[in-house]
Amino acid sequence: MHDLTIRKYINNDFKEVIKLLQSHFNIDNNIKDLDNNDYSYGIVAITNKMIVGYIRIDKLKDIGKNCYYYLLNYVCVNSNYQNMNIATKLLEFIFNEAKKNNIKYIELTSNSTRKAANHLYLKNNFIIKDTNVFIKKI
């Protein structure tokens, strides 16, 4: 992939990114924007003038460790472009951003059934954290 560009999401990317997200996740059809700010923003991968990958970053404060970390969400690559190292390139971009911004660690969650995604994370030196995830719907 010679013409791959990785950059921050901009508002003009909205329609393509929503389409990509909806093909991978249960995303609300009524969502109107994916606004960026200093603490939450998207990263896109573009090839052939088409957005083929996306990751959302939330910069959070770990008060126990008195540091900032990134929480990654919505890691996805267009199914026609998978296994071309696009997700790895997106992660490398984020790792470089983290180093520049004094981020101490990066966290994400992944369902155990997502074998390819989990392989990607392990290949990129993420470790599995022994935890339970709880949710209470309100």
Side-chain angles (χ1 to χ4, degrees):
M1 183 128 333
H2 300 293
D3 70 336
L4 185 68
T5 301
I6 309 284
R7 64 161 169 78
K8 284 190 176 181
Y9 165 91
I10 58 173
N11 289 340
N12 288 343
D13 299 334
F14 179 76
K15 285 183 181 177
E16 280 188 88
V17 169
I18 285 298
K19 187 174 161 186
L20 179 62
L21 288 172
Q22 288 175 334
S23 71
H24 286 82
F25 302 102
N26 186 18
I27 301 293
D28 187 337
N29 286 331
N30 296 322
I31 191 165
K32 301 288 185 237
D33 60 50
L34 297 169
D35 285 342
N36 288 344
N37 60 54
D38 290 342
Y39 293 95
S40 184
Y41 56 93
I43 302 294
V44 294
I46 302 166
T47 190
N48 300 326
K49 298 180 181 172
M50 184 172 98
I51 293 174
V52 296
Y54 181 79
I55 298 179
R56 187 91 187 159
I57 300 172
D58 291 310
K59 179 181 175 183
L60 302 171
K61 175 94 177 201
D62 182 330
I63 58 171
K65 295 178 181 163
N66 193 29
C67 65
Y68 285 96
Y69 69 99
Y70 284 162
L71 176 63
L72 305 185
N73 290 292
Y74 302 112
V75 178
C76 60
V77 172
N78 178 307
S79 57
N80 295 324
Y81 289 85
Q82 290 177 353
N83 299 310
M84 296 181 180
N85 284 324
I86 293 170
T88 297
K89 297 288 186 197
L90 281 163
L91 289 173
E92 287 171 357
F93 181 92
I94 291 167
F95 299 157
N96 288 329
E97 287 286 302
K99 287 175 188 168
K100 284 192 283 190
N101 294 312
N102 201 29
I103 300 300
K104 296 302 180 196
Y105 62 92
I106 298 171
E107 196 170 90
L108 57 83
T109 60
S110 181
N111 190 303
S112 60
T113 61
R114 298 185 68 218
K115 301 291 184 201
N118 294 329
H119 175 74
L120 167 74
Y121 306 137
L122 290 170
K123 180 178 88 172
N124 282 280
N125 299 315
F126 283 86
I127 57 172
I128 298 173
K129 190 172 154 182
D130 184 23
T131 186
N132 294 325
V133 175
F134 294 86
I135 187 170
K136 178 174 176 61
K137 294 186 179 186
I138 306 295

